[in-house]
Amino acid sequence: MAKVAALVLAAGRGTRFGAEVPKQYRTLAGRPVLRHSLERFCSHPAISQVCVAYHPDDEARYQAAVAGLELTPPVVGGSTRQDSAHRGLEQLAEAAPDYVLIHDAARPYLRAADIDNLIEALQGNEAALLALPLADTLKREEAGRVADTVPRAGLWRAMTPQAFHFDAIRRIHQDHAGQEHTDDASLAEAAGLSVALVEGSAKTMKITREEDLEMMEALLSQAPRRIRVGSGYDVHRFSEGDSVRLCGVDIAHNATLAGHSDADVGLHALTDALLGAFARGDIGQHFPPSDPQWRAADSAIFLQEAARLLRAEGGQIDNVDVTLICERPKISPHREAMRARIAELLALDIDDVSVKATTTEGLGFTGRQEGIAAQATATVSLPPRSQQSQAPGAEG
Ligand code: CTP
Ligand code: MG
């Protein structure tokens, strides 16, 4: 399978937008504009690496916008879009991809199918770009009046991503350095490449002015986010020891919990609840007990990784609820510390975190104090299906 890289250009200053925060870092549907297309690329199975060209003044904004995403280290962009693309391509050269998709960070709306179609177009073409046939009649202006009507037949609006064979577009950028083309396809055309048109969606519009951001916000908020609930359950047996760890809090006890990791039954149930909410398998699949690196591991790692995976797909945790089932130790004195610890690990408000406990009236294995059980639920919301890259399913 061809190795496909994505290069996202985000080094512009957004002078036409004219806000203090550059447009690619403005908030759209709860996340920075830049993050929207990065999530699409990162979760697309055909894309092997994603790199951003950014402006050094945006260092802190960049780090906040990409938290949890797996990206190639970013490259500092140049003073023109073309220069930023050139630098990005040089950065990607080491990994030697076969193809590259170059994309404007200012186009947050991107469909998985568009990525597929562009990659497919490269099988038989030297280059391809996402574009849209013009619908409006075009007028040429002179001194505030119509000079003439331009026939729109055969005219398309160029958008991004634009797709290329990596070595070819890298060489073209090297040969044309310092010129100022407003997209990479026009550079390729100038170099004599034949460029295919792939019809995209009008929603892949570029955010240029404040009004564009408002339009995009309205567009995205029409498609409801998908509310999902996951549940988890876990049990660990008691063994000889003097403390147990429950929901991230160490509690003195006349026994400990046995397990490969720290045996934090509460966090294990909660991790499974999170993974279940977006159908990403279970804790054993992500952190096999047979793997020595998880021996005595702090279960906070498992919980945080599940949250990272969820957020990398644009998911959001709405609330979590854990029930610990045991006769002893008594949970209520530690309940607030447990809620605080979970809220900290998941970066949630403490009001969105519940910890409860119950005994089983002396019945069953928990009643006989042979071990502790825990169950948990998590409510999450995922981006609208139309923007998703792939149907969610258990990881293989
Ligand atoms: N871009 C870039 N490096 C530059 C200029 C632009 O990486 N030196 C990126 C922008 O961040 C944007 C894309 O190229 O994602 C398209 O450019 P444009 O829409 O023109 O963005 P800006 O240059 O930021 O806006 P303006 O032209 O209004 O200043
Ligand atoms: Mg510009």
Side-chain angles (χ1 to χ4, degrees):
M1 214 167 85
K3 196 164 155 186
V4 189
L7 172 60
V8 179
L9 305 177
R13 298 291 76 202
T15 47
R16 285 169 291 178
F17 195 93
E20 201 185 312
V21 174
K23 59 189 181 184
Q24 61 272 35
Y25 296 104
R26 289 291 295 270
T27 300
L28 169 69
R31 332 205 276 299
V33 166
L34 165 67
R35 192 176 174 101
H36 286 257
S37 56
L38 290 180
E39 283 172 3
R40 296 288 84 70
F41 282 124
C42 286
S43 58
H44 194 288
I47 303 290
S48 59
Q49 69 182 121
V50 185
C51 178
V52 177
Y54 79 127
H55 195 287
D57 290 357
D58 298 330
E59 178 71 38
R61 292 185 187 112
Y62 171 80
Q63 295 300 346
V66 306
L69 297 176
E70 275 177 39
L71 304 172
T72 301
V75 63
V76 170
S79 58
T80 63
R81 185 190 180 284
Q82 185 178 334
D83 198 17
S84 296
H86 184 184
R87 290 171 186 228
L89 291 170
E90 292 305 317
Q91 169 94 340
L92 284 169
E94 204 184 321
D98 300 304
Y99 300 153
V100 62
L101 266 54
I102 305 179
H103 184 63
D104 292 332
R107 297 181 195 272
Y109 189 94
L110 180 60
R111 300 177 300 192
D114 294 326
I115 295 174
D116 291 327
N117 293 341
L118 285 163
I119 294 172
E120 198 186 315
L122 285 182
Q123 319 283 311
N125 295 283
E126 291 174 302
L129 81 154
L130 204 66
L132 203 63
L134 277 181
D136 298 318
T137 301
L138 295 181
K139 305 287 183 191
R140 192 193 319 278
E141 180 240 58
E142 263 169 37
R145 291 174 184 282
V146 174
D148 62 286
T149 296
V150 183
R152 71 162 180 240
L155 290 184
W156 292 61
R157 256 167 62 195
M159 306 192 293
T160 72
Q162 302 187 344
F164 307 92
H165 294 261
F166 184 80
D167 293 338
I169 193 67
R170 183 185 176 206
R171 193 159 323 113
I172 291 169
H173 265 281
Q174 287 169 346
D175 293 346
H176 293 72
Q179 298 181 359
E180 206 173 324
H181 289 259
T182 52
D183 72 353
D184 305 280
S186 56
L187 205 61
E189 294 152 36
L193 259 56
S194 100
V195 183
L197 293 156
V198 169
E199 186 163 346
S201 155
K203 295 174 186 165
T204 307
M205 63 187 251
K206 191 170 71 171
I207 291 175
T208 302
R209 299 185 171 79
E210 188 81 46
E211 181 198 19
D212 300 333
L213 190 63
E214 287 163 17
M215 246 154 67
M216 188 58 73
E217 184 79 54
L219 229 150
L220 293 182
S221 61
Q222 272 173 12
R225 286 175 68 81
R226 294 170 299 134
I227 308 296
R228 293 289 184 268
V229 175
S231 72
Y233 178 76
D234 194 32
V235 171
H236 280 273
R237 69 168 67 241
F238 281 125
S239 69
E240 229 167 88
D242 57 12
S243 80
V244 291
R245 182 174 296 171
L246 293 171
C247 294
V249 175
D250 290 316
I251 301 170
H253 191 52
N254 60 2
T256 191
L257 287 173
H260 192 73
S261 64
D262 63 3
D264 188 332
V265 64
L267 291 193
H268 292 183
L270 185 51
T271 302
D272 262 355
L274 273 186
L275 292 170
F278 66 126
R280 282 310 168 103
D282 58 32
I283 191 169
Q285 189 182 334
H286 290 266
F287 308 99
S290 54
D291 187 338
Q293 70 168 309
W294 309 124
R295 185 187 309 261
D298 182 346
S299 298
I301 298 169
F302 309 154
L303 183 64
Q304 287 192 302
E305 175 62 7
R308 188 191 70 76
L309 287 171
L310 174 74
R311 289 181 174 132
E313 290 189 18
Q316 205 167 282
I317 303 169
D318 293 332
N319 80 299
V320 298
D321 182 18
V322 182
T323 303
L324 297 168
I325 304 163
C326 58
E327 304 291 324
R328 294 188 54 236
K330 242 184 133 35
I331 302 303
S332 53
H334 308 284
R335 183 206 308 268
E336 291 312 303
M338 291 175 179
R339 292 177 69 205
R341 178 64 179 150
I342 292 171
E344 180 192 358
L345 289 173
L346 294 177
L348 290 177
D349 193 296
I350 193 156
D351 291 332
D352 297 326
V353 178
S354 155
V355 173
K356 316 192 297 299
T358 183
T359 70
T360 49
E361 306 261 321
L363 300 174
F365 70 86
T366 51
R368 292 189 297 272
Q369 301 195 35
E370 292 165 2
I372 298 183
Q375 59 189 41
T377 56
T379 312
V380 310
S381 62
L382 300 172
R385 179 91 67 193
S386 62
Q387 277 203 79
Q388 252 219 333
S389 305
Q390 61 192 126
E395 247 173 20

